[in-house]
Amino acid sequence: SQTIHQWPATLVQPVGSPLSLECTVEGTSNPNLYWYRQAAGRGLQLLFYSVGIGQISSEVPQNLSASRPQDRQFILSSKKLLLSDSGFYLCAWSYGDIRGEQYFGPGTRLTVT
Amino acid sequence: TQLLEQSPQFLSIQEGENLTVYCNSSSVFSSLQWYRQEPGEGPVLLVTVVTGGEVKKLKRLTFQFGDARKDSSLHITAAQPGDTGLYLCAGDEAAGNKLTFGGGTRVLVKP
């Protein structure tokens, strides 16, 4: 069966510090991978998605970047965090087929102080 | 970009009552998913509907996809406290690569 991991689970970082969130998927090959941000109690905003190694599509111009160094690894980064980067970050994967179903990790709660 | 609007944003009911959540768009989707999310956790996929007019049942939950594939509804019969959570609908924009999410409906079922 497939499993998706995210770490860390929670993170408190000062403004201006760097960020690295990691997501890995087990049990499947060549998945589509996604990073979302969620405001408290609201819907999901797609930040980046990737259909293969080294292929990154950015949905929202911002302070963040993403990389996919391996088939089942997806990393979200920032060189200098802003207060507005605080939120709940979710990684997801899909088969990329016509059904479009996505499967989510447990999330990372980021607080920028 | 296609938009999905969910209504209501918040619903508070007593255990045993029924509820319906709506998901509407002016655009056509090739498929639509419903997810439920608990606080501090990732969303969990409940169902996918693909065909216009399709109805799927998951125990006390009934999901319907509109005939024109622009809207969907989730109906819960005899709600229980375990049904409490954030319900999210999501539409497939481009045959599998991206989803557009609605703003979510927070459901609270009081015992």
Side-chain angles (χ1 to χ4, degrees), chain B residues 46-95:
Chain B
L46 296 175
V47 77
T48 296
V49 285
V50 178
T51 306
E54 183 176 5
V55 177
K56 283 192 174 180
K57 293 190 175 183
L58 186 65
K59 296 183 180 178
R60 293 174 294 98
L61 279 61
T62 301
F63 304 86
Q64 185 163 8
F65 203 12
D67 291 340
R69 291 186 288 128
K70 293 182 179 181
D71 55 86
S72 182
S73 64
L74 157 60
H75 183 79
I76 301 179
T77 304
Q80 300 177 1
D83 296 323
T84 293
L86 179 69
Y87 288 83
L88 296 160
C89 66
D92 186 349
E93 291 187 17

Short mmCIF file of all heavy atoms in Angstrom, two decimals, chain B residues 46-95:
data_model
loop_
_atom_site.label_atom_id
_atom_site.label_comp_id
_atom_site.label_asym_id
_atom_site.label_seq_id
_atom_site.Cartn_x
_atom_site.Cartn_y
_atom_site.Cartn_z
N LEU B 46 -13.10 10.76 0.34
CA LEU B 46 -14.32 10.00 0.61
C LEU B 46 -14.84 9.32 -0.66
O LEU B 46 -15.18 8.14 -0.64
CB LEU B 46 -15.41 10.93 1.16
CG LEU B 46 -15.14 11.60 2.51
CD1 LEU B 46 -16.24 12.58 2.85
CD2 LEU B 46 -14.99 10.55 3.60
N VAL B 47 -14.90 10.09 -1.74
CA VAL B 47 -15.52 9.55 -2.96
C VAL B 47 -15.09 10.36 -4.17
O VAL B 47 -14.69 11.53 -4.04
CB VAL B 47 -17.06 9.59 -2.83
CG1 VAL B 47 -17.58 11.00 -3.04
CG2 VAL B 47 -17.74 8.62 -3.78
N THR B 48 -15.15 9.73 -5.33
CA THR B 48 -14.96 10.41 -6.62
C THR B 48 -16.20 10.16 -7.47
O THR B 48 -16.65 9.02 -7.57
CB THR B 48 -13.72 9.89 -7.35
OG1 THR B 48 -12.56 10.20 -6.58
CG2 THR B 48 -13.59 10.53 -8.73
N VAL B 49 -16.73 11.22 -8.07
CA VAL B 49 -17.84 11.06 -9.02
C VAL B 49 -17.36 11.55 -10.38
O VAL B 49 -16.63 12.54 -10.47
CB VAL B 49 -19.10 11.83 -8.58
CG1 VAL B 49 -19.78 11.08 -7.44
CG2 VAL B 49 -18.80 13.25 -8.15
N VAL B 50 -17.75 10.83 -11.40
CA VAL B 50 -17.22 11.08 -12.74
C VAL B 50 -18.31 11.36 -13.77
O VAL B 50 -18.15 12.21 -14.63
CB VAL B 50 -16.36 9.88 -13.20
CG1 VAL B 50 -15.82 10.10 -14.60
CG2 VAL B 50 -15.22 9.63 -12.22
N THR B 51 -19.41 10.64 -13.66
CA THR B 51 -20.46 10.72 -14.67
C THR B 51 -21.57 11.68 -14.24
O THR B 51 -22.01 11.66 -13.08
CB THR B 51 -21.08 9.33 -14.89
OG1 THR B 51 -20.03 8.40 -15.21
CG2 THR B 51 -22.09 9.35 -16.02
N GLY B 52 -22.03 12.53 -15.15
CA GLY B 52 -23.13 13.44 -14.86
C GLY B 52 -24.34 12.68 -14.36
O GLY B 52 -24.73 11.68 -14.95
N GLY B 53 -24.93 13.15 -13.23
CA GLY B 53 -26.09 12.49 -12.66
C GLY B 53 -25.75 11.33 -11.74
O GLY B 53 -26.64 10.73 -11.12
N GLU B 54 -24.48 11.03 -11.61
CA GLU B 54 -24.05 9.89 -10.79
C GLU B 54 -24.37 10.10 -9.32
O GLU B 54 -24.22 11.20 -8.79
CB GLU B 54 -22.54 9.68 -10.96
CG GLU B 54 -21.97 8.48 -10.22
CD GLU B 54 -20.49 8.29 -10.52
OE1 GLU B 54 -19.89 9.13 -11.22
OE2 GLU B 54 -19.92 7.29 -10.03
N VAL B 55 -24.81 9.03 -8.67
CA VAL B 55 -25.08 9.04 -7.23
C VAL B 55 -24.27 7.91 -6.59
O VAL B 55 -24.31 6.77 -7.07
CB VAL B 55 -26.57 8.85 -6.93
CG1 VAL B 55 -26.80 8.78 -5.41
CG2 VAL B 55 -27.40 9.97 -7.54
N LYS B 56 -23.52 8.25 -5.54
CA LYS B 56 -22.76 7.24 -4.81
C LYS B 56 -23.12 7.32 -3.34
O LYS B 56 -23.31 8.41 -2.80
CB LYS B 56 -21.26 7.43 -5.00
CG LYS B 56 -20.74 6.95 -6.34
CD LYS B 56 -19.21 6.90 -6.34
CE LYS B 56 -18.70 6.28 -7.62
NZ LYS B 56 -17.22 6.22 -7.66
N LYS B 57 -23.19 6.15 -2.71
CA LYS B 57 -23.50 6.10 -1.29
C LYS B 57 -22.36 5.46 -0.53
O LYS B 57 -21.78 4.45 -0.95
CB LYS B 57 -24.80 5.34 -1.05
CG LYS B 57 -26.02 6.04 -1.60
CD LYS B 57 -27.31 5.38 -1.15
CE LYS B 57 -28.51 6.19 -1.62
NZ LYS B 57 -29.80 5.65 -1.14
N LEU B 58 -22.06 6.06 0.62
CA LEU B 58 -21.02 5.56 1.51
C LEU B 58 -21.65 5.55 2.91
O LEU B 58 -21.65 6.55 3.61
CB LEU B 58 -19.80 6.47 1.46
CG LEU B 58 -18.55 6.04 2.22
CD1 LEU B 58 -17.98 4.77 1.63
CD2 LEU B 58 -17.51 7.15 2.19
N LYS B 59 -22.25 4.42 3.27
CA LYS B 59 -22.98 4.28 4.54
C LYS B 59 -24.07 5.36 4.60
O LYS B 59 -25.00 5.35 3.80
CB LYS B 59 -22.03 4.37 5.72
CG LYS B 59 -21.02 3.22 5.75
CD LYS B 59 -20.14 3.29 6.98
CE LYS B 59 -19.14 2.13 6.97
NZ LYS B 59 -18.21 2.16 8.14
N ARG B 60 -23.99 6.30 5.52
CA ARG B 60 -25.03 7.33 5.65
C ARG B 60 -24.76 8.56 4.78
O ARG B 60 -25.52 9.53 4.84
CB ARG B 60 -25.11 7.75 7.12
CG ARG B 60 -25.62 6.64 8.05
CD ARG B 60 -25.54 7.07 9.52
NE ARG B 60 -24.15 7.24 9.94
CZ ARG B 60 -23.54 8.40 10.00
NH1 ARG B 60 -24.17 9.52 9.69
NH2 ARG B 60 -22.28 8.48 10.38
N LEU B 61 -23.72 8.53 3.98
CA LEU B 61 -23.37 9.67 3.13
C LEU B 61 -23.79 9.37 1.70
O LEU B 61 -23.51 8.29 1.17
CB LEU B 61 -21.86 9.93 3.18
CG LEU B 61 -21.29 10.71 4.36
CD1 LEU B 61 -21.54 10.02 5.69
CD2 LEU B 61 -19.82 11.00 4.15
N THR B 62 -24.47 10.33 1.06
CA THR B 62 -24.89 10.21 -0.32
C THR B 62 -24.30 11.37 -1.11
O THR B 62 -24.48 12.53 -0.74
CB THR B 62 -26.42 10.22 -0.46
OG1 THR B 62 -26.96 9.14 0.30
CG2 THR B 62 -26.83 10.06 -1.92
N PHE B 63 -23.60 11.04 -2.18
CA PHE B 63 -22.94 12.04 -3.02
C PHE B 63 -23.62 12.04 -4.39
O PHE B 63 -23.91 10.99 -4.95
CB PHE B 63 -21.46 11.70 -3.20
CG PHE B 63 -20.72 11.54 -1.91
CD1 PHE B 63 -20.71 10.32 -1.25
CD2 PHE B 63 -20.03 12.60 -1.36
CE1 PHE B 63 -20.02 10.16 -0.07
CE2 PHE B 63 -19.33 12.45 -0.17
CZ PHE B 63 -19.34 11.24 0.48
N GLN B 64 -23.85 13.24 -4.93
CA GLN B 64 -24.46 13.35 -6.25
C GLN B 64 -23.68 14.31 -7.11
O GLN B 64 -23.27 15.38 -6.64
CB GLN B 64 -25.92 13.80 -6.14
CG GLN B 64 -26.65 13.82 -7.46
CD GLN B 64 -28.16 13.87 -7.29
OE1 GLN B 64 -28.65 14.06 -6.19
NE2 GLN B 64 -28.87 13.69 -8.38
N PHE B 65 -23.47 13.96 -8.35
CA PHE B 65 -22.82 14.82 -9.34
C PHE B 65 -23.91 15.35 -10.25
O PHE B 65 -24.75 14.59 -10.73
CB PHE B 65 -21.82 13.99 -10.14
CG PHE B 65 -20.71 14.78 -10.80
CD1 PHE B 65 -20.47 16.11 -10.49
CD2 PHE B 65 -19.88 14.17 -11.73
CE1 PHE B 65 -19.43 16.81 -11.07
CE2 PHE B 65 -18.84 14.87 -12.33
CZ PHE B 65 -18.61 16.18 -12.00
N GLY B 66 -23.93 16.66 -10.49
CA GLY B 66 -24.96 17.24 -11.32
C GLY B 66 -24.93 16.72 -12.75
O GLY B 66 -23.87 16.30 -13.23
N ASP B 67 -26.07 16.78 -13.40
CA ASP B 67 -26.17 16.26 -14.77
C ASP B 67 -25.15 16.93 -15.69
O ASP B 67 -24.61 16.29 -16.60
CB ASP B 67 -27.58 16.48 -15.32
CG ASP B 67 -28.61 15.60 -14.62
OD1 ASP B 67 -28.21 14.59 -14.01
OD2 ASP B 67 -29.82 15.93 -14.69
N ALA B 68 -24.94 18.22 -15.50
CA ALA B 68 -24.01 18.97 -16.36
C ALA B 68 -22.57 18.93 -15.85
O ALA B 68 -21.69 19.57 -16.43
CB ALA B 68 -24.48 20.42 -16.47
N ARG B 69 -22.32 18.20 -14.78
CA ARG B 69 -20.99 18.06 -14.16
C ARG B 69 -20.42 19.41 -13.74
O ARG B 69 -19.21 19.66 -13.83
CB ARG B 69 -20.03 17.32 -15.10
CG ARG B 69 -20.40 15.85 -15.25
CD ARG B 69 -19.37 15.09 -16.06
NE ARG B 69 -19.41 15.44 -17.45
CZ ARG B 69 -18.36 15.83 -18.17
NH1 ARG B 69 -17.18 15.92 -17.61
NH2 ARG B 69 -18.50 16.12 -19.43
N LYS B 70 -21.30 20.30 -13.26
CA LYS B 70 -20.85 21.60 -12.76
C LYS B 70 -21.06 21.72 -11.25
O LYS B 70 -20.56 22.66 -10.64
CB LYS B 70 -21.62 22.73 -13.43
CG LYS B 70 -21.36 22.90 -14.91
CD LYS B 70 -22.15 24.08 -15.45
CE LYS B 70 -21.88 24.29 -16.92
NZ LYS B 70 -22.63 25.47 -17.45
N ASP B 71 -21.82 20.81 -10.65
CA ASP B 71 -22.13 20.93 -9.25
C ASP B 71 -22.27 19.55 -8.61
O ASP B 71 -22.43 18.54 -9.31
CB ASP B 71 -23.42 21.72 -9.04
CG ASP B 71 -24.57 21.13 -9.83
OD1 ASP B 71 -25.22 20.22 -9.30
OD2 ASP B 71 -24.80 21.57 -10.97
N SER B 72 -22.20 19.55 -7.29
CA SER B 72 -22.29 18.30 -6.55
C SER B 72 -22.87 18.58 -5.17
O SER B 72 -22.85 19.73 -4.69
CB SER B 72 -20.91 17.66 -6.41
OG SER B 72 -20.99 16.43 -5.72
N SER B 73 -23.41 17.55 -4.56
CA SER B 73 -23.94 17.68 -3.21
C SER B 73 -23.55 16.47 -2.38
O SER B 73 -23.32 15.37 -2.91
CB SER B 73 -25.46 17.85 -3.22
OG SER B 73 -26.08 16.70 -3.75
N LEU B 74 -23.45 16.73 -1.09
CA LEU B 74 -23.18 15.67 -0.10
C LEU B 74 -24.31 15.72 0.92
O LEU B 74 -24.54 16.76 1.53
CB LEU B 74 -21.83 15.94 0.57
CG LEU B 74 -21.58 15.32 1.95
CD1 LEU B 74 -21.67 13.81 1.89
CD2 LEU B 74 -20.25 15.78 2.52
N HIS B 75 -25.00 14.62 1.08
CA HIS B 75 -26.10 14.53 2.04
C HIS B 75 -25.74 13.50 3.10
O HIS B 75 -25.33 12.37 2.76
CB HIS B 75 -27.40 14.13 1.33
CG HIS B 75 -28.58 14.08 2.26
ND1 HIS B 75 -29.25 15.21 2.66
CD2 HIS B 75 -29.19 13.03 2.84
CE1 HIS B 75 -30.24 14.86 3.46
NE2 HIS B 75 -30.23 13.56 3.59
N ILE B 76 -25.87 13.90 4.36
CA ILE B 76 -25.62 12.97 5.46
C ILE B 76 -26.94 12.72 6.18
O ILE B 76 -27.63 13.67 6.60
CB ILE B 76 -24.58 13.52 6.45
CG1 ILE B 76 -23.26 13.79 5.73
CG2 ILE B 76 -24.36 12.54 7.59
CD1 ILE B 76 -22.17 14.37 6.63
N THR B 77 -27.29 11.47 6.30
CA THR B 77 -28.52 11.06 6.98
C THR B 77 -28.21 10.68 8.42
O THR B 77 -27.23 9.97 8.66
CB THR B 77 -29.16 9.87 6.25
OG1 THR B 77 -29.40 10.23 4.88
CG2 THR B 77 -30.47 9.47 6.90
N ALA B 78 -29.05 11.14 9.32
CA ALA B 78 -28.90 10.79 10.74
C ALA B 78 -27.46 11.02 11.21
O ALA B 78 -26.77 10.07 11.62
CB ALA B 78 -29.34 9.35 10.99
N ALA B 79 -27.03 12.27 11.14
CA ALA B 79 -25.64 12.61 11.44
C ALA B 79 -25.24 12.19 12.85
O ALA B 79 -26.07 12.21 13.79
CB ALA B 79 -25.42 14.11 11.25
N GLN B 80 -23.99 11.81 12.99
CA GLN B 80 -23.42 11.41 14.27
C GLN B 80 -22.24 12.31 14.61
O GLN B 80 -21.64 12.90 13.70
CB GLN B 80 -22.98 9.95 14.19
CG GLN B 80 -24.12 8.99 13.89
CD GLN B 80 -23.66 7.55 13.76
OE1 GLN B 80 -22.48 7.24 13.91
NE2 GLN B 80 -24.60 6.67 13.47
N PRO B 81 -21.87 12.42 15.87
CA PRO B 81 -20.72 13.27 16.24
C PRO B 81 -19.45 12.91 15.47
O PRO B 81 -18.63 13.79 15.19
CB PRO B 81 -20.57 12.99 17.73
CG PRO B 81 -21.95 12.68 18.19
CD PRO B 81 -22.58 11.90 17.06
N GLY B 82 -19.29 11.68 15.07
CA GLY B 82 -18.13 11.27 14.29
C GLY B 82 -18.10 11.86 12.89
O GLY B 82 -17.08 11.78 12.20
N ASP B 83 -19.21 12.44 12.45
CA ASP B 83 -19.26 13.10 11.14
C ASP B 83 -18.71 14.52 11.19
O ASP B 83 -18.56 15.18 10.16
CB ASP B 83 -20.70 13.15 10.61
CG ASP B 83 -21.28 11.78 10.35
OD1 ASP B 83 -20.52 10.89 9.90
OD2 ASP B 83 -22.48 11.58 10.63
N THR B 84 -18.41 15.00 12.38
CA THR B 84 -17.86 16.34 12.55
C THR B 84 -16.54 16.47 11.81
O THR B 84 -15.70 15.56 11.85
CB THR B 84 -17.65 16.65 14.04
OG1 THR B 84 -18.93 16.74 14.69
CG2 THR B 84 -16.89 17.95 14.24
N GLY B 85 -16.38 17.59 11.10
CA GLY B 85 -15.13 17.81 10.38
C GLY B 85 -15.31 18.86 9.30
O GLY B 85 -16.39 19.45 9.15
N LEU B 86 -14.25 19.09 8.55
CA LEU B 86 -14.27 20.02 7.42
C LEU B 86 -14.45 19.21 6.14
O LEU B 86 -13.64 18.33 5.85
CB LEU B 86 -12.97 20.83 7.37
CG LEU B 86 -12.85 21.83 6.22
CD1 LEU B 86 -13.83 22.99 6.42
CD2 LEU B 86 -11.42 22.36 6.13
N TYR B 87 -15.51 19.48 5.40
CA TYR B 87 -15.78 18.77 4.16
C TYR B 87 -15.35 19.65 2.99
O TYR B 87 -15.76 20.81 2.88
CB TYR B 87 -17.26 18.41 4.06
CG TYR B 87 -17.63 17.31 5.02
CD1 TYR B 87 -17.93 17.60 6.35
CD2 TYR B 87 -17.66 15.98 4.62
CE1 TYR B 87 -18.24 16.60 7.26
CE2 TYR B 87 -17.98 14.96 5.52
CZ TYR B 87 -18.26 15.28 6.83
OH TYR B 87 -18.56 14.29 7.72
N LEU B 88 -14.54 19.07 2.12
CA LEU B 88 -13.98 19.79 0.98
C LEU B 88 -14.38 19.10 -0.31
O LEU B 88 -14.26 17.88 -0.42
CB LEU B 88 -12.45 19.82 1.07
CG LEU B 88 -11.84 20.56 2.25
CD1 LEU B 88 -10.40 20.10 2.48
CD2 LEU B 88 -11.87 22.06 2.02
N CYS B 89 -14.84 19.87 -1.27
CA CYS B 89 -15.03 19.32 -2.60
C CYS B 89 -13.87 19.81 -3.47
O CYS B 89 -13.29 20.86 -3.21
CB CYS B 89 -16.37 19.72 -3.20
SG CYS B 89 -16.59 21.48 -3.54
N ALA B 90 -13.55 19.05 -4.49
CA ALA B 90 -12.45 19.39 -5.38
C ALA B 90 -12.77 18.89 -6.78
O ALA B 90 -13.21 17.76 -6.95
CB ALA B 90 -11.14 18.78 -4.88
N GLY B 91 -12.54 19.75 -7.76
CA GLY B 91 -12.81 19.39 -9.14
C GLY B 91 -11.54 19.23 -9.94
O GLY B 91 -10.56 19.95 -9.73
N ASP B 92 -11.58 18.26 -10.84
CA ASP B 92 -10.42 17.98 -11.68
C ASP B 92 -10.44 18.90 -12.90
O ASP B 92 -11.35 18.84 -13.72
CB ASP B 92 -10.49 16.52 -12.13
CG ASP B 92 -9.24 16.11 -12.89
OD1 ASP B 92 -8.44 16.99 -13.23
OD2 ASP B 92 -9.08 14.91 -13.12
N GLU B 93 -9.44 19.77 -13.01
CA GLU B 93 -9.41 20.75 -14.10
C GLU B 93 -8.97 20.14 -15.42
O GLU B 93 -9.49 20.49 -16.47
CB GLU B 93 -8.42 21.87 -13.76
CG GLU B 93 -8.85 22.78 -12.62
CD GLU B 93 -7.92 23.97 -12.46
OE1 GLU B 93 -7.16 24.25 -13.40
OE2 GLU B 93 -7.95 24.60 -11.40
N ALA B 94 -7.96 19.29 -15.36
CA ALA B 94 -7.31 18.90 -16.63
C ALA B 94 -6.93 17.44 -16.64
O ALA B 94 -5.76 17.10 -16.80
CB ALA B 94 -6.07 19.77 -16.84
N ALA B 95 -7.92 16.59 -16.49
CA ALA B 95 -7.74 15.15 -16.64
C ALA B 95 -6.62 14.59 -15.79
O ALA B 95 -5.75 13.88 -16.28
CB ALA B 95 -7.51 14.80 -18.11
#
